Amino acid sequence: MEEERRRADARRRGAHIWGHHVKIVDEHGLSVALIETADLTAEPWLSSDRHIDVVRMLKPPVGLRDDLAARGFICKPEMLTWLARLESDESTFLARLGNKSRQDIRRAQRQAAGSLREVVQDESVDAETLDRFLALYEERVSGMQFGVPYARRHREAVLHGPQKYFAHFAFEHDELVGGCLVLECPEEDAIRIRFSAVTESWRRSSLARTLYFSALQTARSKGYTWATLGDEPNLYGHLTQAGLFSFKVNMGFTAVPSQDFSDPTGCDEADLVLNLATLKDPCLILGYANPSDVTERALYGNLITESEIDARKFSAHFLTEMKTRPPRNLRGARD
């Protein structure tokens, strides 16, 4: 429910009415024009005197999706869930990955084992260590252009429930240099790695990989079948960057529409990226390969870029293809 309220709040902020059906909202620095079916033919975003980054239709009707695609819109799930079967042990899990991914993970684990002390709090998380982690998390988020420190809102839930969390922390001598908070979801037979952070120096050593794989092992020991890396907006280049997509693919996870895995608020939307004035280049969106068939859940990739880019860097086994396209380069006026 908190996620649903967050989405609704974002859409209400900074609304500017064109008519009865269309408004512009500020979603963490991104200017999004929300349109309805009646607005599509007139394309009112072309004549707006407001700056617009993305034009979006929420819950696009199936019968309109081919028309939307012809106009450059990408029909897509609003949120993605990154999902993986835990398998019986780590070796079996790693066997699914490519050689380089396995080597990167093993190298990160060796480096951490030689320098760090890992603390696992698998029954309860203590307040002092949690607060040290939250300070590190907020420090890291503050360095992001559109970072939002969501973890602080969950402090009481982590400590006192009713949901059950466990945590993995890494220390270099007495300094906490990384950690992750993991939510147990027995009704889904899954764990969710909700929040993680590592120092800049240990980010370069891929400590996050080590912490994640340690958390997956704890999940196996608790008898879970699935793990997720949480839900995130299907618009890389804004709150998250395209590099995070590749990181999660190389960790052995698959992106699926969030509504296909226990997200009751998950829905579809159609986005038209007008420009990259606010979004990072490249911007990456996963769209439905066959948007007019709601029973077809396969996804394909859209890299939106103004640069020459090797799309193979963002390949993933679960995508039907990866397309590259420029933005529409319609900037509008800055407020």
Side-chain angles (χ1 to χ4, degrees):
M1 293 303 294
E2 178 173 303
E3 185 67 28
E4 185 176 19
R5 287 194 297 271
R6 180 184 68 77
R7 294 170 181 168
D9 288 345
R11 289 171 186 146
R12 284 194 294 267
R13 282 196 302 274
H16 173 76
I17 304 299
W18 282 331
H20 294 296
H21 304 292
V22 186
K23 62 183 178 181
I24 301 175
V25 298
D26 180 342
E27 293 199 1
H28 302 296
L30 190 72
S31 181
V32 179
L34 298 179
I35 66 168
E36 297 184 7
T37 56
D39 303 306
L40 191 58
T41 301
E43 297 185 332
W45 59 90
L46 296 179
S47 57
S48 173
D49 60 355
R50 297 281 301 275
H51 174 81
I52 303 168
D53 297 302
V54 175
V55 182
R56 175 170 296 161
M57 181 180 291
L58 304 174
K59 299 181 180 179
V62 174
L64 201 61
R65 293 187 177 195
D66 287 341
D67 188 11
L68 286 164
R71 295 173 186 270
F73 284 80
I74 300 168
C75 294
K76 65 188 186 76
E78 178 193 20
M79 303 287 288
L80 298 170
T81 296
W82 285 89
L83 184 66
R85 181 180 287 275
L86 285 166
E87 307 296 356
S88 58
D89 53 46
E90 185 172 280
S91 295
T92 304
F93 187 99
L94 286 171
R96 304 193 318 235
L97 308 186
N99 287 336
K100 186 178 185 306
S101 294
R102 284 198 301 272
Q103 291 168 2
D104 289 345
I105 291 164
R106 290 304 193 198
R107 182 169 54 250
Q109 289 174 324
R110 287 193 300 270
Q111 188 166 355
S115 304
L116 303 180
R117 172 174 56 92
E118 186 171 354
V119 173
V120 181
Q121 298 183 354
D122 59 350
E123 292 302 325
S124 62
V125 181
D126 76 77
E128 179 184 359
T129 310
L130 175 61
D131 287 338
R132 293 175 68 181
F133 167 77
L134 291 175
L136 172 61
Y137 173 87
E138 290 172 349
E139 176 188 328
R140 301 298 294 158
V141 170
S142 69
M144 303 175 184
Q145 183 178 4
F146 299 112
V148 182
Y150 289 118
R152 175 69 63 179
R153 306 176 188 179
H154 297 267
R155 181 182 184 276
E156 292 306 307
V158 173
L159 293 175
H160 306 299
Q163 296 172 309
K164 174 74 163 54
Y165 281 82
F166 66 86
H168 282 246
F169 300 115
F171 291 84
E172 187 172 28
H173 306 298
D174 292 329
E175 179 189 3
L176 189 147
V177 295
C180 63
L181 301 178
V182 185
L183 174 65
E184 297 188 38
C185 303
E187 69 282 1
E188 300 170 6
D189 193 18
I191 58 100
R192 291 178 178 265
I193 300 179
R194 293 294 306 277
F195 307 106
S196 67
V198 300
T199 62
E200 176 59 26
S201 61
W202 279 100
R203 183 194 67 81
R204 293 192 294 268
S205 299
S206 297
L207 176 58
R209 285 186 171 93
T210 300
L211 290 168
Y212 286 0
F213 270 81
S214 293
L216 299 187
Q217 185 55 39
T218 298
R220 289 187 193 96
S221 71
K222 289 174 174 282
Y224 288 103
T225 301
W226 298 95
T228 88
L229 298 179
D231 301 338
E232 60 196 21
N234 185 7
L235 182 64
Y236 294 93
H238 181 216
L239 299 181
T240 57
Q241 305 308 313
L244 183 63
F245 172 86
S246 299
F247 172 82
K248 292 184 175 182
V249 169
N250 292 332
M251 285 277 293
F253 284 74
T254 295
V256 301
S258 68
Q259 60 264 43
D260 292 357
F261 190 79
S262 302
D263 179 5
T265 67
C267 63
D268 292 341
E269 60 189 16
D271 276 6
L272 174 65
V273 176
L274 297 185
N275 60 78
L276 299 178
T278 304
L279 294 164
K280 293 288 188 181
D281 189 344
C283 168
L284 174 62
I285 297 174
L286 304 190
Y288 289 113
N290 187 0
S292 60
D293 182 355
V294 295
T295 65
E296 175 57 64
R297 310 306 288 166
L299 301 173
Y300 77 105
N302 293 270
L303 277 172
I304 302 168
T305 178
E306 294 176 327
S307 308
E308 292 292 329
I309 194 167
D310 184 357
R312 292 174 298 180
K313 292 170 53 179
F314 300 95
S315 63
H317 70 278
F318 55 85
L319 298 179
T320 61
E321 61 179 327
M322 179 65 72
K323 295 182 178 180
T324 302
R325 65 168 77 181
R328 286 301 177 94
N329 281 321
L330 300 172
R331 294 183 179 269
R334 279 288 187 189
D335 296 333

